[in-house]
Amino acid sequence: MSRANVVSRLLGVAALLPALAACGAGDSGGGVEAGNASSGAVMVETTDPVDGATGRAGAAQPVYGFGTPATESQIAAWDIDIGPDGAGLPPGQGTVAEGLEVWERHRCILCHGPTGREGPNDIITGRIPGDEFPFANDRSLRSTVGNYWPYATTLFDYTRRAMPFDLPGTMTDEEVYAVVGAMLYFNDLLPADAVVDSAMVVDTRMPARDRFVPDNRTGGPTIR
Amino acid sequence: MVSANVRDGARDGAEAGHETDGNGGDVNDRDESSGLTRRALIAGAAAAAGGAITAGATRGLGLQEAQDPTKVPGARPVVVGSRSPHETPEKLLSGSMGGSSRTPLQDLHGIMTPADLHFERHHHGIPQIDPATYRLLIHGMVDRPMLFTLDDLKRFPQVSKLLFIECSGNGGGAYAPSPNPRNTPQSIDGLLSTSEWSGVAISTLFEEVGAHADATWFLAEGSDAAVMGRSIPMEKAWDDAMIAYAQNGEAIRPEQGYPARVFLPGWEGNASVKWVRRIELSDRPGMFRDETSKYTDPLPDGTARQFSFVMDAKSIITNPTYPRRLSEPGFVEISGYAWTGRGLIERVEVSTDGGDSWHDAVLQEPVLPKCTTRFRYGWEWDGGPAHLLSRATDETGYTQPVRQQVLDARGPGTRYHSNAIRGWRVGRDGSIEFAPV
């Protein structure tokens, strides 16, 4: 632990102002530039409320020295999220036909209905004519994978981590690919004979893909 | 094309806000005239009956007591205290699979929420976590991926603040076309609680692991059965985000994220991931289910607002409210909560005539940023009809809107971030009904 760093922390040198970001960088001794990240991710432009990086970096050396370095395998065990760019999608594949079997075998059918429309729990299936997005104007509309979800990667991610609800995280990756295929098929987003793999999940263009905008509420007198 | 067979009912049926739309069952469980829960009534009746039978000594005031407490030694100290058996505040439950419980706002005083009455909203139940095996992993765009034990987290310099947390679905029932007049503060806005939250600043941890300057988001995940994930802008990390491990002086309750959770002051509760086990620094959001399919706000122009984190200014009168009935004309203290995720509450106004005239309420100290503020207004009820309203203004100059302003901006389908002016109509008979404007 660097004592100088501890003192600077205590003195509050780690200020919050972006203008002082260079101070944090200087702290780290790494000469990190303040400024916007050149993030390659396309969606950042439309959804990032902070408009890029803060430019502030952590310390070059541990400040307190508490904690234990995490190993690659420890990280891999928990690093389960799938990015909208497909990062994290596992190898493997499944077919829509297998997915329809999984839908019954893993009892999705009991809670979401034979075609994902019948409930009793969240409605999975349903498109809106013309793929319109009139949710704000019609209180009776229900969101579904087909009319509201912007990314199929999210469908893989959520299904794998959280479903089936009462036995979450018990499906193989192949089963998840297959049942994701079934849900996309229910929504007329894949044909019945489709084979689903990581490329298919990334490439499936969801009808609501471009519907999401960043928060424009800023405080002040305007009601948004 | 699949036909639009997606109507009938709310699209977020599991979301707590929706369930206030038809909460008759909850309301019916309360006695209209007294505002006591059925359980409390039964307990009270039993106590009264006991008093009549044993006919204890009077203490000079003509009051019958089961036993004169000045004539017998009292109970001994206890290792863990408990409420008076006469006090039985309860949370209001809703939802079957995930579900929520609501804080009995009308039963509370001041600004703090007792930890056992703190609201709950979780999507996949309360996990049981052994603090000895708990680990927080921080990795991704960092120089040094690290695992922290609970003890490690507690060794870092502590931050501690009084803060509210509110589910963004709170108050959803107030948007309903004809809100149920038998709503209570609890059924409408009970997904709001205030505690002193103690923990370590996330900025301290991000310094420690050597966060990269070009990271724009951090992704937080819980170790509940949903492995609930949310993406949070790095700006919040360097501002006031924390990993909290204590609440009102004790370890966080399991329902609140034991042993450690993310806490994002002033932001929608869902993003303050409970039972947090992993934080990944990234250059893009994760687009998790709970920031796409849920917790987004559709707008009339055919878009949906995403990452709408800040909870805007809001207030609610908690007393007098349904199901209380005013017994006679005279002094009534109108009191309630105001809060804003943008900082300080600057002003709360109260109207007793449905908004024709407004009066400044007294703000009770302390008035703290991103914390509930208690307001009070002394009112002489003349025995006639009245319509009690409150509206809050925050330090940015934002004033709580009327319902129609929100509907104009967001459309009738809006559900989350419901902050329009709440109101209570008082009848000549002293009865009170929920009546927002």
Side-chain angles (χ1 to χ4, degrees):
Chain A
M1 153 173 32
S2 141
R3 193 173 149 68
N5 270 333
V6 173
V7 172
S8 72
R9 280 305 83 59
L10 295 175
L11 292 177
V13 171
L16 305 173
L17 295 172
L20 291 184
C23 173
D27 246 9
S28 73
V32 185
E33 293 272 40
N36 281 340
S38 52
S39 148
V42 272
M43 73 293 310
V44 168
E45 264 191 280
T46 50
T47 57
D48 183 351
V50 301
D51 193 29
T54 60
R56 180 168 162 186
Q61 299 300 323
V63 182
Y64 298 94
F66 308 151
T68 317
T71 65
E72 293 285 323
S73 66
Q74 285 171 326
I75 295 171
W78 279 1
D79 185 6
I80 59 168
D81 70 289
I82 311 297
D85 46 12
L89 277 170
Q93 63 175 46
T95 65
V96 168
E98 287 159 3
L100 295 173
E101 284 168 28
V102 171
W103 189 256
E104 289 190 27
R105 194 166 68 242
H106 283 283
R107 298 167 297 104
C108 324
I109 189 168
L110 290 181
C111 299
H112 299 292
T115 67
R117 303 163 179 280
E118 301 85 357
N121 293 115
D122 293 34
I123 308 298
I124 305 296
T125 306
R127 294 271 286 277
I128 293 171
D131 287 329
E132 297 291 314
F133 201 78
F135 293 95
N137 299 319
D138 186 347
R139 198 174 169 84
S140 67
L141 278 178
R142 299 188 70 157
S143 68
T144 69
V145 168
N147 66 27
Y148 204 91
W149 288 48
Y151 301 97
T153 48
T154 307
L155 190 58
F156 187 99
D157 176 287
Y158 180 74
T159 302
R160 186 170 71 161
R161 69 175 66 209
M163 289 296 137
F165 190 89
D166 48 355
L167 284 171
T170 53
M171 291 187 287
T172 65
D173 289 340
E174 284 73 19
E175 287 174 317
V176 177
Y177 274 119
V179 81
V180 162
M183 290 187 280
L184 295 174
Y185 163 71
F186 288 155
N187 282 286
D188 282 355
L189 292 164
L190 284 183
D193 60 357
V195 179
V196 188
D197 59 8
S198 59
M200 185 70 103
V201 171
V202 175
D203 292 344
T204 299
R205 174 124 191 130
M206 302 299 278
R209 170 67 180 80
D210 294 327
R211 296 290 181 178
F212 293 83
V213 296
D215 190 8
N216 62 347
R217 299 167 308 142
T218 53
T222 312
I223 307 300
R224 292 198 170 95
Chain B
M1 172 71 65
V2 181
S3 72
N5 181 21
V6 289
R7 291 178 183 268
D8 186 32
R11 65 177 175 279
D12 51 354
E15 178 51 44
H18 162 62
E19 286 155 6
T20 53
D21 287 5
N23 62 359
D26 301 320
V27 172
N28 287 340
D29 201 37
R30 301 177 74 86
D31 178 72
E32 287 204 28
S33 55
S34 66
L36 296 174
T37 61
R38 186 168 293 159
R39 210 179 94 180
L41 281 177
I42 292 166
I53 290 162
T54 54
T58 65
R59 281 192 294 165
L61 299 178
L63 301 173
Q64 290 285 322
E65 302 226 7
Q67 193 161 45
D68 182 346
T70 68
K71 295 295 182 283
V72 280
R76 301 176 59 102
V78 291
V79 285
V80 177
S82 58
R83 277 191 188 101
S84 159
H86 302 286
E87 302 295 326
T88 55
E90 284 182 349
K91 295 193 280 183
L92 186 60
L93 303 178
S94 57
S96 47
M97 292 293 217
S100 62
S101 70
R102 289 158 189 262
T103 294
L105 301 177
Q106 65 282 349
D107 297 337
L108 303 183
H109 304 271
I111 57 174
M112 302 295 288
T113 309
D116 60 355
L117 297 176
H118 195 289
F119 86 86
E120 294 166 73
R121 176 75 182 103
H122 29 83
H123 285 263
H124 229 125
I126 305 160
Q128 294 191 356
I129 300 172
D130 179 352
T133 54
Y134 172 82
R135 295 290 183 278
L136 172 63
L137 168 67
I138 304 183
H139 73 114
M141 295 174 67
V142 302
D143 288 343
R144 299 172 293 278
M146 298 289 290
L147 282 168
F148 298 102
T149 64
L150 188 60
D151 285 342
D152 290 335
L153 294 177
K154 290 180 178 172
R155 289 175 75 191
F156 287 101
Q158 192 181 72
V159 289
S160 199
K161 288 178 192 169
L162 270 64
L163 299 162
F164 78 80
I165 182 165
E166 181 184 19
C167 175
S168 75
N170 202 26
Y175 282 147
S178 47
N180 187 338
R182 298 198 298 162
N183 269 299
T184 63
Q186 177 172 26
S187 68
I188 279 291
D189 278 331
L191 298 173
L192 164 80
S193 300
T194 300
S195 309
E196 181 180 359
W197 294 98
S198 313
V200 50
I202 286 186
S203 59
T204 301
L205 298 176
F206 284 4
E207 288 280 348
E208 188 70 19
V209 299
H212 292 175
D214 51 357
T216 49
W217 296 82
F218 69 94
L219 283 44
E221 271 176 10
S223 44
D224 57 334
V227 202
M228 241 284 306
R230 286 293 304 254
S231 311
I232 301 145
M234 279 296 281
E235 205 171 54
K236 189 67 171 172
W238 297 124
D239 182 1
D240 59 0
M242 64 166 103
I243 300 294
Y245 47 73
Q247 173 189 6
N248 292 348
E250 62 174 345
I252 289 182
R253 300 266 169 141
E255 310 90 88
Q256 269 29 274
Y258 182 84
R261 69 176 302 171
V262 174
F263 199 98
L264 307 174
W267 283 19
E268 64 182 16
N270 178 266
S272 285
V273 173
K274 292 184 276 195
W275 314 290
V276 61
R277 78 171 187 185
R278 182 172 81 94
I279 289 179
E280 178 177 2
L281 280 70
S282 181
D283 58 4
R284 50 138 176 81
M287 297 296 175
F288 290 112
R289 179 258 192 172
D290 286 296
E291 57 202 25
T292 52
S293 166
K294 306 290 175 187
Y295 300 102
T296 52
D297 304 303
L299 298 171
D301 66 358
T303 63
R305 196 182 272 148
Q306 194 181 21
F307 304 117
S308 42
F309 293 115
V310 179
M311 299 306 292
D312 272 322
K314 187 159 158 182
S315 67
I316 182 168
I317 293 170
T318 53
N319 203 10
T321 53
Y322 177 85
R324 201 183 137 185
R325 187 184 291 263
L326 301 181
S327 54
E328 57 178 5
F331 178 79
V332 177
E333 183 170 80
I334 296 173
S335 158
Y337 297 101
W339 65 103
T340 170
R342 296 198 189 274
L344 290 168
I345 286 292
E346 198 164 88
R347 181 181 194 193
V348 178
E349 297 158 284
V350 167
S351 174
T352 58
D353 55 13
D356 290 341
S357 62
W358 292 92
H359 316 276
D360 276 324
V362 172
L363 304 187
Q364 173 193 293
E365 294 292 337
V367 176
L368 299 169
K370 304 178 186 179
C371 185
T372 41
T373 295
R374 170 67 64 173
F375 68 86
R376 304 176 190 289
Y377 175 71
W379 176 48
E380 282 293 324
W381 182 45
D382 62 8
H387 194 177
L388 313 181
L389 310 175
S390 65
R391 74 175 177 206
T393 299
D394 72 18
E395 63 173 303
T396 73
Y398 177 97
T399 298
Q400 199 180 347
V402 295
R403 190 163 160 272
Q404 193 57 47
Q405 281 175 286
V406 181
L407 297 184
D408 288 348
R410 300 184 202 159
T414 190
R415 289 175 197 284
Y416 299 108
H417 302 282
S418 161
N419 70 329
I421 293 176
R422 282 91 170 88
W424 307 90
R425 207 180 287 283
V426 180
R428 286 186 192 284
D429 59 355
S431 63
I432 304 174
E433 289 187 338
F434 179 65
V437 294

